[in-house]
Amino acid sequence: AILHTDMSKHFGLVNALKAMYLKNDDTQNLSSESRWKLLIYMLHLADISGQARADPLFLEWTDRLMEEFFTQGDKEASLGLPVSELCDRQKTNIADVQFGFIEFVILPSYEVLAEFIPDIRVAILPNIQKNFQYWAREKGKEDLTTKENTEQNKNV
C-alpha cells in the first residue's frame, strides 16, 4: 500500500493495534517495532482523518472527497464503464456514507489510538462524536424527505 493509506488494509491495521494494546500493559514504553507499527497506524489515520476534524473542516473535507469520488464516477460513466460504489452523483447519499464511515471506521479507529495516546479522548473523540451527530441529523432529514416524496408519489 502506498504509505500505508490503502483502505483495504484498514481493518488489519486496527486489529494489529488492538492486539498490540492487549499484549502491552505499559503502552508508554513500547518496543521499537511496536512504536513503528503505531506510527504506521497514525499515518493511516491522518489519511482518513477528515471526519475527525472540527467544524467546518470536516464538511470541507467531505465536499473535497465526495467531489473526487464523483469526478471518478463521471469519468467511468463517460467511458461506458460501471460506476464504482460511492462515485455516482445521482445515487450516493452523502449523509449515509459519512454516518457509516464514522460509525464503522473512524470512531473505532481513534478509540484504539486513544489507548496509546490518552489525549485523543479529549482532543479528537469529541469532534468525531459531534460530526457523527451532525450526519445522523442530516441522515434523518434525508430519510424524512425521501419518505415524504414517496408518499406524495403515491397520492399522484
Side-chain angles (χ1 to χ4, degrees), residues 41-96:
Y41 186 76
M42 290 169 51
L43 177 63
H44 172 65
L45 290 189
D47 185 53
I48 62 171
S49 67
Q51 293 303 313
R53 299 181 185 275
D55 188 8
L57 290 176
F58 83 99
L59 290 172
E60 292 173 16
W61 277 104
T62 299
D63 290 344
R64 290 176 184 158
L65 180 67
M66 295 311 299
E67 185 55 35
E68 181 181 327
F69 285 3
F70 294 154
T71 299
Q72 175 183 325
D74 296 345
K75 184 68 172 175
E76 290 169 344
S78 74
L79 295 171
L81 299 170
V83 176
S84 299
E85 186 176 2
L86 307 179
C87 295
D88 189 325
R89 289 181 193 274
Q90 312 312 316
K91 296 179 182 174
T92 301
N93 181 312
I94 295 172
D96 279 345

Side-chain angles (χ1 to χ4, degrees), residues 10 14 17 23 25 30 37 39 43 56 60 72 75 81 84 90 100 154:
H10 173 79
V14 174
L17 258 285
K23 287 182 191 176
D25 290 336
L30 298 171
K37 287 180 182 178
L39 183 61
L43 177 63
E60 292 173 16
Q72 175 183 325
K75 184 68 172 175
L81 299 170
S84 299
Q90 312 312 316
K154 286 180 184 177

